[in-house]
Amino acid sequence: MPLAFGWRWRRGAELPAAVKALLQRLTPRPGVLPLPPYMDWCNAQGRFSLRAVRLAAALGHGEAVGVYITQHVARGVRLMSALNALRLPQRQYELAYWLARGLSESQIAQRMGISLNTVVYHRRQLYNRLGASHRIELLTKLGL
């Protein structure tokens, strides 16, 4: 919650206006089509999805509501984080980046200024290092 609604928000504080509006969508009003209990929220920390669901109360009476907050991280940022964690040599890092972005080996050779055979060599080294046998498995290992 603090990431989505600012560092000043804290447990026990009043709910942010966006969450209140989301919770109001769970209460149907007569003659009005209900809005889905889902909304997007953007701020300086990024883009978030908020989803509200009704829950069964723990003691069997009353109502409870759950609010799921999901932060959306751009694919490029996830890729860079995954590659940084692997601590690959520079050429393998660069090759893994372009492979994950979907470039062909000839396009990668052109971008990196090396021969196609060198790209194939570095790709094989990268796959061996990560225990992957093809590009889709590489993407899976990178968490994409």
Side-chain angles (χ1 to χ4, degrees):
M1 287 278 280
L3 191 59
F5 296 105
W7 61 272
R8 289 188 179 139
W9 189 89
R10 64 189 179 289
R11 191 174 296 231
E14 185 177 341
L15 289 175
V19 175
K20 287 180 183 178
L22 182 68
L23 295 176
Q24 287 175 351
R25 293 179 181 184
L26 286 175
T27 309
R29 292 189 307 252
V32 177
L33 289 174
L35 293 170
Y38 175 85
M39 69 186 302
D40 285 328
W41 178 259
C42 294
N43 66 14
Q45 269 65 21
R47 188 171 66 88
F48 300 87
S49 294
L50 285 73
R51 185 171 53 96
V53 294
R54 290 187 185 282
L55 303 173
L59 300 175
H61 58 280
E63 285 188 48
V65 175
V67 177
Y68 295 96
I69 301 175
T70 306
Q71 182 179 18
H72 298 277
V73 180
R75 188 169 192 254
V77 173
R78 287 194 326 257
L79 173 60
M80 297 299 280
S81 297
L83 289 174
N84 286 334
L86 294 175
R87 300 188 187 279
L88 297 170
Q90 181 62 36
R91 283 293 192 194
Q92 289 181 9
Y93 179 95
E94 193 174 348
L95 178 75
Y97 177 81
W98 293 121
L99 285 170
R101 299 292 299 216
L103 271 65
S104 69
E105 290 179 353
S106 60
Q107 290 172 321
I108 293 171
Q110 191 175 21
R111 291 249 174 131
M112 292 177 68
I114 56 179
S115 73
L116 184 58
N117 289 335
T118 306
V119 170
V120 171
Y121 171 78
H122 284 300
R123 178 184 49 81
R124 286 180 183 160
Q125 294 296 314
L126 177 66
Y127 284 1
N128 285 338
R129 176 178 228 144
L130 299 180
S133 58
H134 48 80
R135 191 180 296 220
I136 294 173
E137 200 171 333
L138 171 69
L139 293 175
T140 303
K141 301 260 185 204
L142 293 175
L144 301 175

